[in-house]
Amino acid sequence: MATNELVRVIDADPLDAAAVRKHPDVDGFIDWERPVAVVNTVLLPFSAGQDRGPSEFLAQYVPELTTGSHLVMAFFATPQDELPGPETVARPLDRRADKLTDLFTTSHLSGGRFLPVSEIAAMLEELGLVEPGLTYCDLWPDDRTDETSANSIRRCAFAAVARVQQA
């Protein structure tokens, strides 16, 4: 990727929108007046417990995005959570959640934690969610033909794609 002229790799805190936007390798490379996609997959659990948590990520990025931009999020959910709303899918996360929690706390990944689905749903409430909305990763459509090949970690994670609709 380092030799691809369409890619920029920067050293900045991804939870600090201003640092990312004003980085010399990003400024002028991305036209923030046009719709862009901000992808935050599996980073949110590691922001929890820091000065800036998941809600701060949204609070920093969403106001900076123009209408039509998209925000992609994926995160590990707490085992007892279920989805809010009429399409509630109640499915407790099993031993995989415990194993991942151990990994978060005993490895170099320390600091991560599972997030409450209801907290993320509340943060996304003002945004227009793309179908199927906030749901288990393994319920998002993809091009796999063999559903038995789904990665077990996907069964422990939630995802959402939101379309920014600024006033």
Side-chain angles (χ1 to χ4, degrees):
M1 288 182 22
T3 60
N4 185 331
E5 64 187 46
L6 301 176
V7 175
R8 297 291 187 271
V9 178
I10 65 170
D11 184 13
D13 179 352
L15 299 174
D16 184 348
V20 171
R21 282 194 62 166
K22 293 177 181 170
H23 192 282
D25 290 339
V26 173
D27 188 35
F29 180 68
I30 295 176
D31 182 355
W32 294 97
E33 300 300 317
R34 297 183 59 178
V36 299
V38 174
V39 179
N40 185 327
T41 56
V42 194
L43 178 62
L44 289 182
F46 297 98
S47 69
Q50 296 183 14
D51 292 339
R52 294 179 309 271
S55 60
E56 183 66 20
F57 168 78
L58 288 176
Q60 284 194 39
Y61 275 95
V62 172
E64 301 292 326
L65 301 175
T66 189
T67 298
S69 293
H70 284 76
L71 178 65
V72 178
M73 295 173 51
F75 60 96
F76 293 111
T78 52
Q80 288 74 36
D81 270 337
E82 57 183 50
L83 289 171
E87 299 90 27
T88 297
V89 179
R91 180 174 60 123
L93 301 177
D94 54 22
R95 290 176 291 208
R96 288 181 292 262
D98 292 334
K99 289 180 183 178
L100 285 170
T101 300
D102 286 344
L103 178 66
F104 286 168
T105 57
T106 60
S107 74
H108 67 281
L109 297 174
S110 65
R113 70 173 177 89
F114 279 55
L115 301 172
V117 174
S118 57
E119 178 182 323
I120 302 299
M123 291 188 304
L124 296 173
E125 211 168 68
E126 300 297 317
L127 301 174
L129 291 180
V130 174
E131 288 298 323
L134 175 59
T135 190
Y136 297 100
C137 286
D138 62 351
L139 295 181
W140 267 86
D142 60 25
D143 59 0
R144 287 179 297 137
T145 57
D146 179 12
E147 285 301 315
T148 60
S149 68
N151 184 320
S152 64
I153 291 177
R154 280 183 54 182
R155 296 182 203 118
C156 290
F158 283 77
V161 175
R163 186 173 191 275
V164 176
Q165 303 169 16
Q166 301 289 7

